[in-house]
Amino acid sequence: MKYAYDIIKKPIITERSMMGAQDNKYTFEVAIDAGKVEIKKAVEEIFGVKVAKVNTIKLPGKWKRMGVHVGKRSDIKKAIVTLTADSKKIEIFENMM
């Protein structure tokens, strides 16, 4: 069994994600093998909000060079979580605006 904190890794704080936060859309980096239902339950458990919808995006890792050495960053998965209209805001994002 996975814990909620194993599914939600960290919030993604960018200009674009802050614009979405005004419309009750919050962006998180999540575990690569997490499903939409697991992400929904984890966000509801951690932040105490009601989730209306979850959209996920898998991003492949980039190839990077450091001198003659070549390596690859790990793949990540992002989740854009939309809250219901009557739900409260998430405090982490509210302090950033």
Side-chain angles (χ1 to χ4, degrees):
M1 181 179 120
K2 291 183 185 176
Y3 295 105
Y5 290 99
D6 294 334
I7 295 171
I8 306 295
K9 291 184 179 179
K10 63 181 181 180
I12 296 178
I13 309 294
T14 61
E15 242 180 275
R16 187 171 183 178
S17 67
M18 290 297 107
M19 296 296 282
Q22 296 172 356
D23 301 327
N24 282 347
K25 292 184 180 183
Y26 299 98
T27 308
F28 297 97
E29 183 179 331
V30 297
I32 199 84
D33 59 341
K36 291 184 178 185
V37 176
E38 291 176 323
I39 295 168
K40 178 180 178 178
K41 288 179 183 177
V43 170
E44 288 177 346
E45 181 182 332
I46 292 171
F47 299 108
V49 294
K50 293 181 184 177
V51 175
K53 180 167 92 166
V54 176
N55 295 329
T56 58
I57 306 161
K58 280 189 177 179
L59 299 172
K62 295 180 179 180
W63 288 94
K64 292 292 181 179
R65 283 181 56 119
M66 184 71 73
V68 296
H69 304 288
V70 178
K72 183 178 182 282
R73 290 186 184 168
S74 59
D75 301 341
I76 65 167
K77 186 174 190 178
K78 292 193 316 186
I80 301 171
V81 178
T82 305
L83 303 182
T84 58
D86 61 339
S87 179
K88 66 176 187 167
K89 304 282 186 188
I90 296 178
E91 298 86 21
I92 295 172
F93 292 90
E94 292 304 313
N95 297 331
M96 296 290 176
M97 287 194 241

